Amino acid sequence: MAPQKRMRTTGDDGESEVVEVESARSSLRQDTKKKARVSDTSTHNKSSMVGVRDRLEDANQPLDLGEEDYEQRRDAGFQDLADEDGDTQQATQILQERNQRSMENMPADNGIIESVTCVNFMCHSKLHVSFGPLINFVIGHNGSGKSAVLTAITLCLGGKASATNRGQSLKNFVKEGQETASLIIKIKNTGHSGYQQEVYGDSIIVERHFSRSGSSSFKVKSASGRVISTKKSDLDEICDYFALQIDNPMNVLTQDMARQFLNNSTPSDKYKFFVKGVQLEQLDRDYQLLEETIDQIEHKLDGRGDDIKALEELARKARQKLDMSDRHETMRGRIRNYEHQMAWVQVDQQEKAVEDCELNLLKASQQIEAAEARAITTTDAYTDADRNFEEAQASASALLNSKTPLEDTRRQRKGEFDANKTELHNIQTEHRIIRDHLLAAESRIKKTMENIEHERQRLESANGGTHLRKIADIEEAKSKAAEKRYQHDQHRKDAGRLEDSRKAAETDLRGINEPLEQKKREIKHCNDLLQNMIRDRGQSHGAFHRNTNRLLRAIDQEGGFRDKPIGPIGSHVRLLNLDWSSVLERSFGATLESYIVTNKQDQNLLSSLMRRIDCVAPILIGNNQPLDTSQHEPDPRFETTMRVLQIENDLVRRQLIINQGIEQTLLIEQLSEGNATMFDGARVRNVKQCFCINPNQRGWGYRLAYNRSGEPSVSPIRAMQSIPRMRTDIEAQISFQRETLNNLKSELSELEGHQRSLKDNVQRCEQAIQTHKRQQGELLIELQRADHLVENLQDELEQERPEDGRLDALRAGLKEAEDEKETCEGSYGDAVVEKDRLNGVAKEIMEQLRSVDADITNIDFDIKMAKAKASELSERRLLALEGKNVAMESIETAKQDKVEAQNKWQTERDRLEDWTSKAREIVRQRVTVDAGETADSLDRKLTKLTKDLARYEKELGDSRESIALKAAQTYKAWKTAEQQVEDLQHLAERLKGALIDRMERWRKFRRYISAKARAQFTYLLSERSFRGALKTDHKRRLLDLQVEPDETRTGRGRQTKTLSGGEKSFSTICLLLSLWEAMGSPIRCLDEFDVFMDNVNRDVSMKMMIVAARRSVGRQYILITPQSMGNIDVAGDVKIIKLSDPERGQTALPFAG
């Protein structure tokens, strides 16, 4: 019998023998994890149990059930019921002692119903009832759902529809007009004894869904609503754990069952209710099943003796045949020896094969080391070639950029020279014409002066000395006029110098335009780059080829790669210090756009993908071998390229170390500090090169290293004019680009300021020319005044001169000739000055053209040499890359060879271990193979001996192994059969003992529970001053009541049929409470128990039920009544639940039956 439910002690002293037996359950049903609710047993009980257990353990005292009838053995002549009055008296004493103790009715921690919810059930669309943990009265009008609550409890917890007496099938309970219905019950599950509380939590929610089509399903959920199970077996286990006896008619009494029990039951019916309610009937059926099992075992044991004798005879004959076969053991020994040698000779041969594989594996490792050494050499060569190529490209680009302003200057100077040449040609023509006119005028003046002198001498002799003085004044005035003319001519010569200054200033002004435009172009490019950064913010591959994303998707979709390519390299590198972005981007060059594969096959496949998608990029071959650089890095106080990079992929890190030497590249911002570190004193250990930042040109830098000859070398690094390919903080990069843009704008402002300064200089030169022209005008006026004075003196001389037309005519001719000469001289002088000036300008322009042409020629030569060098370096770089790839591929090939050698060695090794293991299975110790023996020779000898032995065994009919195997099998079958019979006999004896023990317990349980019910019934009757007795006749299976409503009367009491309706209902309620007190279920349900009671009996019954419920500590009562509860004083442990009135238009339920 399983442990009894709900432990309830009888008292601390433990003196009484009679116990509170609440329920019993057979353990022959499916075993479950049930919560122990065990009632106490007395000392006498325990001692009797020990005695039975001792009898079961005594193998020398077999038990026999005999041939008696099962019920006779079970009841044992009802000897245990001989003293019912004494049992009743003792139970009454215990009941009184318990009632005298103050026991507070505390709610149970688990196993009680918290709420019931019905959806589309019976005539209710939705009905929800929340119960209290102790005593619940459900009241309401007809049709409000009182009985539906108990029906829902029965069905939801796994009960059958027929057990409710309201329908034969679940589909009868679906509300009219609906297709499905649902029932939900929430069971309390707190406390340390809760059911799988770590899984379900503080509540277990049980749902049952069924439809009009007849389908039905269960869901068992945790407190959080998570579905734990959908199996009814799990629900049954929960109900069994909490002892929720839903199918027990005494546990959930529906209207019909309550009516039948309270009003219409006969003594026989009451007895049936009794044995079902306390599960005596279920235990009885289980014990009958146990007895049938024992009978089946004993029947199976009958006749097994002959079978065992037959098996023993077979084993004996097989043993005799084995003994005969053992006579040829000498031949078998030789065969075994040859078999042992045959096993180990193969091991010897395999060991030699393993040694050969180990030698090949060693050679493969040496080949890998040699290939890695070649890879390091070729990688260094490729790094140098790539760096030299980048430097040559940068040099050629710089030369091309520097040629453009020289060509502009040459075109400008050539235009100036052509214009000057045309002007000079015109001046030379004019100069020849003026010279011819000047010679003619001088000739005329000379001849005219000779004629005048002859005429003057003629007239002087006739006129005296006054005329000579006038002539002297005229000569003096002419001398001053000549001086003024000289000053005017000298001043006019300065005009060329001022004009040259103005042209030089204009040339300087034009020369700044190109740097200014270049700076504007840089600002536009920088601004466009900034806008692209802002626009492409968040795009991881915006700095690479426009089809990079398509290529990456194609790589992901391509399934032919042995190892998925990694790339582009820049997307796997994060720069931690933005100050070095431009320098490192320029230094890494095309490496950041490269992709990495691990074998030639993947390289070819990736190359074809690139050509198909039009996204060609360099492809590097690498490997996944770890690369430790800790011993090859400079002092930790230095910042290196690798230390400012965060590299996500080890393959990328390895390639940057091999190709770029990032672990040995110093980063020092100040050029002076970099020079001191690299070139002052001893060379820094583990350093190949050093990068510095150009503070005057943002983004530019310097590379400091030693050239091939070992001499220090400093080369410029141009700024990177593209979106950074290495991943950085995009906001910081945008901020850095904004700073670069601001710096360029500042430089543009400086150039514009210089341009304004040059414009001011041009204006000053023009102002100087204007001042010179004004001064020249003033000198011209003074010259004109001096000439006017000479003319006045000559006029006076002419007035004093006697009239002589011939002298005047001569003087007029002289004057005309002098004027013409003067005009020609002035024009000639101007022409000479202009010619000299133009010749000087032409010479100067020609010198400038020669200088520019020389510079252009030199630059063209330098560009040609730079391009040739770049082309040569590109070829070297390509050859170096091919050499590096070949070296990397050779490493991969060598590693594959090593892997194959390793696999072959492992295969041979495994084969050696397998053969060794198999050889040891044949013979444990290693056998020395006879000298000169091989596998073939041993096989021949073994074959001959085996044939000879087979011939002898043929005479026996089978081989020795088969004979030995058959002997062992027959012996094992014989012993196994003997053991099985012995085990079955022992099992039968144990089951017999267990059945006798359980029958003894069953009788005690029947005895004590009957006594307890009788005592409780008598006590409850006394609550209303009734007296009477509960008569249990187990022989005839009758249970009847004898009640005397008037305790003053004497006699045995009356039968219930002689009582009034109220007295009869009250008495039956007392019986029901008595039986309930003997049951162990945590909940008790009763529907419309007071329907036939008058108000007096109803009030007494209600109060009595409340008192009885409070004495049943931890039990939950659900009592349904259509009457009101106004006359009942309730406390905190009593909850009255009033259901709402039914909906209008409600019709009768379509129940069948």
Side-chain angles (χ1 to χ4, degrees):
M1 186 174 64
Q4 298 163 341
K5 306 295 182 177
R6 192 76 73 177
M7 181 182 292
R8 300 180 63 198
T9 58
T10 60
D12 296 336
D13 52 5
E15 295 177 355
S16 176
E17 177 187 284
V18 180
V19 299
E20 296 189 47
V21 182
E22 298 177 351
S23 68
R25 181 184 182 276
S26 172
S27 62
L28 296 179
R29 289 177 287 175
Q30 183 181 1
D31 187 22
T32 60
K33 299 178 181 179
K34 49 188 177 295
K35 180 173 64 174
R37 299 177 183 270
V38 185
S39 298
D40 289 344
T41 58
S42 64
T43 305
H44 174 77
N45 239 3
K46 293 179 180 178
S47 62
S48 64
M49 288 295 298
V50 172
V52 173
R53 197 173 294 115
D54 292 339
R55 291 198 305 274
L56 288 174
E57 294 174 355
D58 190 356
N60 296 324
Q61 298 180 9
L63 300 176
D64 188 5
L65 295 177
E67 300 298 330
E68 297 179 358
D69 181 73
Y70 167 76
E71 291 188 359
Q72 294 178 0
R73 289 192 299 274
R74 180 197 67 192
D75 296 331
F78 298 99
Q79 295 178 5
D80 58 308
L81 303 177
D83 189 14
E84 287 190 351
D85 293 339
D87 292 341
T88 304
Q89 183 179 0
Q90 193 167 10
T92 303
Q93 181 182 356
I94 294 174
L95 180 61
Q96 291 174 350
E97 292 176 356
R98 190 195 70 174
N99 292 337
Q100 289 174 0
R101 294 196 301 268
S102 177
M103 299 178 63
E104 183 179 359
N105 189 12
M106 299 295 295
D109 290 336
N110 44 62
I112 60 176
I113 297 175
E114 294 181 327
S115 66
V116 175
T117 302
C118 308
V119 180
N120 296 331
F121 182 68
M122 297 175 69
C123 59
H124 307 283
S125 297
K126 185 168 184 181
L127 177 64
H128 178 79
V129 179
S130 296
F131 294 112
L134 296 172
I135 306 169
N136 298 271
F137 286 97
V138 183
I139 64 176
H141 295 103
N142 290 336
S144 61
K146 303 186 301 299
S147 299
V149 173
L150 291 190
T151 304
I153 292 175
T154 301
L155 295 179
C156 191
L157 294 181
K160 299 179 181 178
S162 58
T164 64
N165 292 327
R166 288 180 170 268
Q168 297 301 318
S169 175
L170 284 174
K171 62 184 179 180
N172 299 127
F173 292 93
V174 180
K175 184 181 178 183
E176 187 70 22
Q178 302 295 329
E179 292 298 323
T180 61
S182 301
L183 301 175
I184 304 171
I185 288 181
K186 188 176 182 182
I187 302 174
K188 188 176 181 181
N189 191 43
T190 59
H192 66 278
S193 60
Y195 180 78
Q196 296 184 14
Q197 196 172 31
E198 70 281 358
V199 177
Y200 290 94
D202 292 339
S203 297
I204 299 176
I205 301 173
V206 180
E207 296 183 6
R208 187 170 189 179
H209 304 272
F210 49 92
S211 65
R212 195 173 294 278
S213 63
S215 63
S216 174
S217 63
F218 290 92
K219 287 184 180 179
V220 183
K221 298 182 178 180
S222 64
S224 62
R226 182 170 62 93
V227 177
I228 305 301
S229 175
T230 57
K231 299 179 181 178
K232 185 176 182 298
S233 59
D234 293 330
L235 174 61
D236 294 338
E237 184 174 343
I238 293 172
C239 293
D240 185 61
Y241 180 84
F242 291 125
L244 299 176
Q245 303 166 15
I246 299 303
D247 289 331
N248 190 336
M250 295 298 296
N251 195 37
V252 180
L253 277 137
T254 61
Q255 279 187 13
D256 297 334
M257 295 297 294
R259 187 180 302 112
Q260 180 182 351
F261 178 77
L262 296 176
N263 300 295
N264 302 323
S265 59
T266 64
S268 178
D269 294 334
K270 289 184 176 66
Y271 188 84
K272 291 179 181 179
F273 275 111
F274 170 73
V275 295
K276 286 183 179 180
V278 298
Q279 294 196 333
L280 283 172
E281 184 180 58
Q282 180 64 43
L283 290 172
D284 184 48
R285 286 198 296 267
D286 291 342
Y287 298 159
Q288 290 184 33
L289 176 62
L290 178 59
E291 188 172 76
E292 292 175 0
T293 303
I294 295 173
D295 291 340
Q296 292 174 1
I297 294 174
E298 290 180 340
H299 179 72
K300 185 181 292 186
L301 289 173
D302 293 341
R304 294 301 298 271
D306 295 338
D307 296 338
I308 292 175
K309 289 180 180 179
L311 291 173
E312 184 179 7
E313 181 64 19
L314 289 175
R316 185 185 63 77
K317 291 180 179 179
R319 183 62 191 176
Q320 289 177 352
K321 196 171 184 180
L322 179 62
D323 292 340
M324 293 176 62
S325 176
D326 288 341
R327 297 172 185 175
H328 304 292
E329 189 61 31
T330 302
M331 186 178 293
R332 292 191 184 93
R334 292 178 63 192
I335 291 175
R336 284 195 296 271
N337 182 37
Y338 285 140
E339 287 176 343
H340 296 168
Q341 293 189 41
M342 189 70 178
W344 286 102
V345 73
Q346 296 179 3
V347 173
D348 291 343
Q349 293 174 353
Q350 189 60 30
E351 285 177 344
K352 294 179 181 178
V354 170
E355 291 177 357
D356 294 339
C357 290
E358 290 176 348
L359 181 60
N360 293 334
L361 187 61
L362 178 60
K363 292 180 179 178
S365 298
Q366 293 173 349
Q367 289 176 356
I368 290 176
E369 292 177 358
E372 288 180 343
R374 289 195 300 273
I376 294 174
T377 302
T378 56
T379 299
D380 292 340
Y382 171 72
T383 302
D384 294 340
D386 183 63
R387 183 176 61 252
N388 294 335
F389 173 70
E390 291 289 339
E391 291 176 354
Q393 274 194 326
S395 177
S397 177
L399 289 172
L400 284 172
N401 292 335
S402 62
K403 180 182 177 182
T404 301
L406 289 176
E407 290 178 340
D408 294 340
T409 302
R410 187 184 186 285
R411 284 192 295 271
Q412 180 182 356
R413 294 294 181 266
K414 184 66 170 59
E416 293 175 355
F417 178 79
D418 292 340
N420 185 79
K421 182 178 180 181
T422 300
E423 187 177 357
L424 181 61
H425 178 72
N426 295 333
I427 289 297
Q428 288 176 345
T429 302
E430 183 181 356
H431 182 267
R432 285 193 298 272
I433 295 172
I434 293 173
R435 185 183 58 186
D436 292 341
H437 284 82
L438 182 60
L439 292 175
E442 288 179 347
S443 176
R444 284 176 60 195
I445 289 173
K446 182 177 180 183
K447 185 176 180 180
T448 302
M449 287 183 68
E450 290 176 354
N451 293 331
I452 288 173
E453 182 63 27
H454 291 298
E455 183 65 21
R456 186 185 65 79
Q457 290 177 359
R458 184 182 67 78
L459 293 175
E460 187 67 31
S461 61
N463 196 17
T466 305
H467 186 71
L468 293 175
R469 288 192 298 271
K470 291 288 186 182
I471 291 173
D473 293 337
I474 291 172
E475 293 299 328
E476 182 180 0
K478 286 182 177 182
S479 175
K480 290 181 179 180
E483 182 180 358
K484 294 296 183 182
R485 183 172 286 104
Y486 175 77
Q487 292 177 356
H488 177 267
D489 293 340
Q490 292 298 321
H491 187 272
R492 187 172 57 182
K493 291 179 181 180
D494 292 337
R497 179 181 58 79
L498 294 176
E499 185 66 25
D500 292 342
S501 298
R502 181 181 66 82
K503 289 182 179 180
E506 289 177 348
T507 301
D508 293 340
L509 180 61
R510 287 192 298 270
I512 201 174
N513 289 335
E514 179 59 27
L516 195 63
E517 293 301 322
Q518 178 65 27
K519 191 60 66 177
K520 289 180 179 179
R521 288 193 294 270
E522 291 179 4
I523 290 175
K524 184 178 182 303
H525 180 76
C526 183
N527 186 61
D528 293 342
L529 187 60
L530 175 61
Q531 296 305 318
N532 291 337
M533 287 183 179
I534 295 174
R535 184 186 66 250
D536 297 339
R537 180 184 298 169
Q539 297 184 9
S540 57
H541 301 101
F544 299 97
H545 193 281
R546 64 182 183 278
N547 292 331
T548 297
N549 289 327
R550 289 181 55 200
L551 177 60
L552 293 177
R553 286 195 297 271
I555 291 173
D556 291 335
Q557 296 170 1
E558 176 61 50
F561 289 110
R562 291 171 55 185
D563 294 316
K564 181 180 177 181
I566 303 299
I569 289 178
S571 64
H572 295 274
V573 179
R574 176 177 291 277
L575 179 61
L576 304 178
N577 190 343
L578 292 179
D579 293 340
W580 295 101
S581 176
S582 177
V583 173
L584 294 182
E585 289 274 349
R586 176 65 71 179
S587 172
F588 288 152
T591 301
L592 294 179
E593 300 173 1
S594 303
Y595 291 76
I596 306 174
V597 296
T598 58
N599 54 79
K600 187 69 175 179
Q601 176 184 345
D602 289 350
Q603 183 189 27
N604 295 334
L605 179 56
L606 179 59
S607 178
S608 65
L609 278 180
M610 288 180 174
R611 289 192 299 272
R612 177 164 56 86
I613 297 177
D614 189 19
C615 183
V616 179
I619 302 175
L620 306 176
I621 298 179
N623 59 71
N624 292 313
Q625 294 296 324
L627 188 62
D628 184 11
T629 62
S630 58
Q631 302 301 320
H632 305 284
E633 296 185 27
D635 193 276
R637 64 190 176 90
F638 293 114
E639 188 173 51
T640 64
T641 302
M642 189 168 70
R643 292 169 185 170
V644 300
L645 298 180
Q646 181 179 340
I647 305 173
E648 300 174 349
N649 188 282
D650 290 337
L651 199 57
V652 172
R653 176 178 177 272
R654 180 183 179 89
Q655 287 301 314
L656 290 179
I657 290 173
I658 293 174
N659 294 334
Q660 301 294 329
I662 59 174
E663 85 285 8
Q664 295 184 349
T665 300
L666 298 185
L667 300 179
I668 301 176
E669 290 190 11
Q670 300 296 328
L671 178 60
S672 58
E673 184 180 351
N675 278 319
T677 302
M678 290 293 294
F679 305 137
D680 292 352
R683 294 183 63 171
V684 183
R685 188 174 65 90
N686 294 333
V687 174
K688 289 184 177 180
Q689 59 185 351
C690 174
F691 292 153
C692 300
I693 294 176
N694 187 340
N696 299 321
Q697 289 181 288
R698 191 173 182 84
W700 288 62
Y702 302 99
R703 177 180 178 272
L704 284 66
Y706 288 91
N707 56 25
R708 293 183 179 273
S709 61
E711 297 296 326
S713 171
V714 179
S715 57
I717 300 176
R718 296 174 59 81
M720 194 68 184
Q721 301 294 332
S722 62
I723 299 177
R725 294 163 293 179
M726 292 185 290
R727 294 191 297 113
T728 58
D729 183 356
I730 185 61
E731 297 301 331
Q733 188 66 42
I734 290 173
S735 176
F736 181 84
Q737 193 65 23
R738 285 198 178 100
E739 292 179 4
T740 303
L741 180 60
N742 293 333
N743 289 338
L744 290 175
K745 288 181 178 179
S746 299
E747 294 174 1
L748 177 62
S749 298
E750 293 178 359
L751 288 175
E752 289 175 344
H754 185 49
Q755 184 188 41
R756 288 192 296 271
S757 176
L758 293 176
K759 286 182 178 180
D760 294 340
N761 188 29
V762 171
Q763 291 178 357
R764 286 193 297 271
C765 291
E766 290 178 349
Q767 290 174 359
I769 291 173
Q770 295 299 326
T771 302
H772 181 273
K773 289 181 178 180
R774 186 180 66 254
Q775 292 174 352
Q776 185 175 358
E778 293 175 353
L779 290 175
L780 181 59
I781 292 172
E782 292 179 358
L783 175 60
Q784 290 174 351
R785 288 175 180 172
D787 290 339
H788 184 66
L789 178 60
V790 171
E791 290 176 356
N792 290 336
L793 290 175
Q794 287 178 347
D795 290 340
E796 291 178 358
L797 181 61
E798 290 297 330
Q799 291 177 359
E800 294 177 357
R801 180 178 303 171
E803 294 295 333
D804 191 346
R806 187 172 177 274
L807 182 62
D808 291 337
L810 290 172
R811 287 178 177 173
L814 178 63
K815 179 70 169 60
E816 182 180 353
E818 287 178 347
D819 290 341
E820 183 179 358
K821 177 185 177 183
E822 182 180 358
T823 301
C824 290
E825 285 179 348
S827 298
Y828 186 79
D830 292 340
V832 171
V833 171
E834 185 63 19
K835 180 182 178 182
D836 293 341
R837 184 186 70 79
L838 291 176
N839 284 330
V841 171
K843 184 178 180 181
E844 181 180 353
I845 293 175
M846 184 57 68
E847 291 295 330
Q848 292 176 355
L849 278 174
R850 291 194 186 98
S851 175
V852 171
D853 288 339
D855 292 340
I856 290 176
T857 301
N858 293 334
I859 287 180
D860 286 339
F861 178 77
D862 293 340
I863 291 173
K864 181 178 179 181
M865 296 302 295
K867 287 183 177 180
K869 182 178 180 182
S871 178
E872 180 184 357
L873 291 175
S874 176
E875 293 178 359
R876 291 182 183 178
R877 176 176 175 270
L878 182 59
L879 291 174
L881 180 60
E882 291 176 353
K884 176 192 167 186
N885 288 339
V886 169
M888 292 296 180
E889 188 174 356
S890 66
I891 292 176
E892 186 67 22
T893 303
K895 288 183 177 179
Q896 290 178 356
D897 293 341
K898 182 179 179 181
V899 170
E900 292 176 358
Q902 180 77 27
N903 293 336
K904 185 176 180 181
W905 174 84
Q906 188 63 44
T907 301
E908 298 295 338
R909 183 71 180 173
D910 293 342
R911 185 179 292 118
L912 174 61
E913 293 178 356
D914 182 50
W915 286 3
T916 303
S917 176
K918 290 180 178 178
R920 293 191 184 280
E921 291 177 1
I922 297 173
V923 55
R924 188 65 181 171
Q925 297 296 328
R926 183 159 185 163
V927 176
T928 303
V929 180
D930 295 340
E933 294 288 357
T934 63
D936 294 336
S937 63
L938 289 173
D939 185 63
R940 287 193 297 271
K941 293 180 180 180
L942 185 60
T943 301
K944 181 178 182 304
L945 288 174
T946 302
K947 289 181 178 178
D948 294 341
L949 182 62
R951 187 173 66 254
Y952 295 139
E953 288 177 346
K954 185 176 181 181
E955 297 174 358
L956 292 174
D958 208 343
S959 66
R960 200 270 177 190
E961 288 77 7
S962 300
I963 294 172
L965 178 62
K966 188 172 182 180
Q969 290 175 345
T970 54
Y971 180 80
K972 182 178 180 181
W974 170 42
K975 289 301 180 182
T976 301
E978 281 188 338
Q979 185 64 40
Q980 289 177 349
V981 169
E982 184 180 349
D983 292 342
L984 284 174
Q985 290 175 344
H986 182 67
L987 175 62
E989 294 300 325
R990 297 281 293 180
L991 290 177
K992 289 178 182 179
L995 180 59
I996 293 173
D997 178 40
R998 290 172 183 269
M999 285 183 175
E1000 183 177 350
R1001 294 190 185 195
W1002 187 87
R1003 289 191 293 272
K1004 287 184 179 182
F1005 178 67
R1006 181 181 63 181
R1007 169 189 171 191
Y1008 294 146
I1009 202 169
S1010 300
K1012 182 176 181 181
R1014 292 193 298 269
Q1016 184 71 17
F1017 179 75
T1018 302
Y1019 172 77
L1020 292 175
L1021 286 177
S1022 66
E1023 292 290 320
R1024 199 183 167 195
S1025 299
F1026 282 23
R1027 63 182 178 84
L1030 178 64
K1031 297 299 182 179
T1032 54
D1033 188 349
H1034 295 291
K1035 293 181 181 179
R1036 294 188 297 165
R1037 300 181 181 179
L1038 299 176
L1039 178 65
D1040 200 4
L1041 310 179
Q1042 290 183 351
V1043 180
E1044 177 55 59
D1046 188 357
E1047 65 178 353
T1048 60
R1049 294 183 183 182
T1050 59
R1052 297 176 58 86
R1054 294 184 285 169
Q1055 295 292 330
T1056 55
K1057 61 184 178 179
T1058 64
L1059 300 176
S1060 65
E1063 293 171 343
K1064 181 179 179 181
S1065 297
F1066 172 75
S1067 301
T1068 312
I1069 288 294
C1070 292
L1071 173 62
L1072 177 62
L1073 293 176
S1074 300
L1075 297 182
W1076 271 358
E1077 189 66 22
M1079 293 167 55
S1081 177
I1083 62 173
R1084 287 87 187 270
C1085 304
L1086 180 59
D1087 189 2
E1088 297 192 0
F1089 61 91
D1090 55 349
V1091 68
F1092 297 107
M1093 293 184 184
D1094 55 33
N1095 291 333
V1096 175
N1097 283 299
R1098 180 176 181 275
D1099 292 344
V1100 174
S1101 298
M1102 294 283 266
K1103 292 178 181 178
M1104 183 176 62
M1105 292 180 72
I1106 292 175
V1107 172
R1110 287 172 177 163
R1111 289 173 181 161
S1112 300
V1113 178
R1115 301 299 196 271
Q1116 184 184 38
Y1117 285 79
I1118 301 175
L1119 307 174
I1120 297 176
T1121 174
Q1123 308 295 330
S1124 65
M1125 300 293 295
N1127 297 328
I1128 303 299
D1129 295 330
V1130 297
D1133 57 349
V1134 179
K1135 181 177 182 180
I1136 299 176
I1137 305 167
K1138 187 176 186 310
L1139 301 182
S1140 302
D1141 292 340
E1143 300 175 1
R1144 292 184 179 181
Q1146 179 175 295
T1147 59
L1149 295 174
F1151 292 143

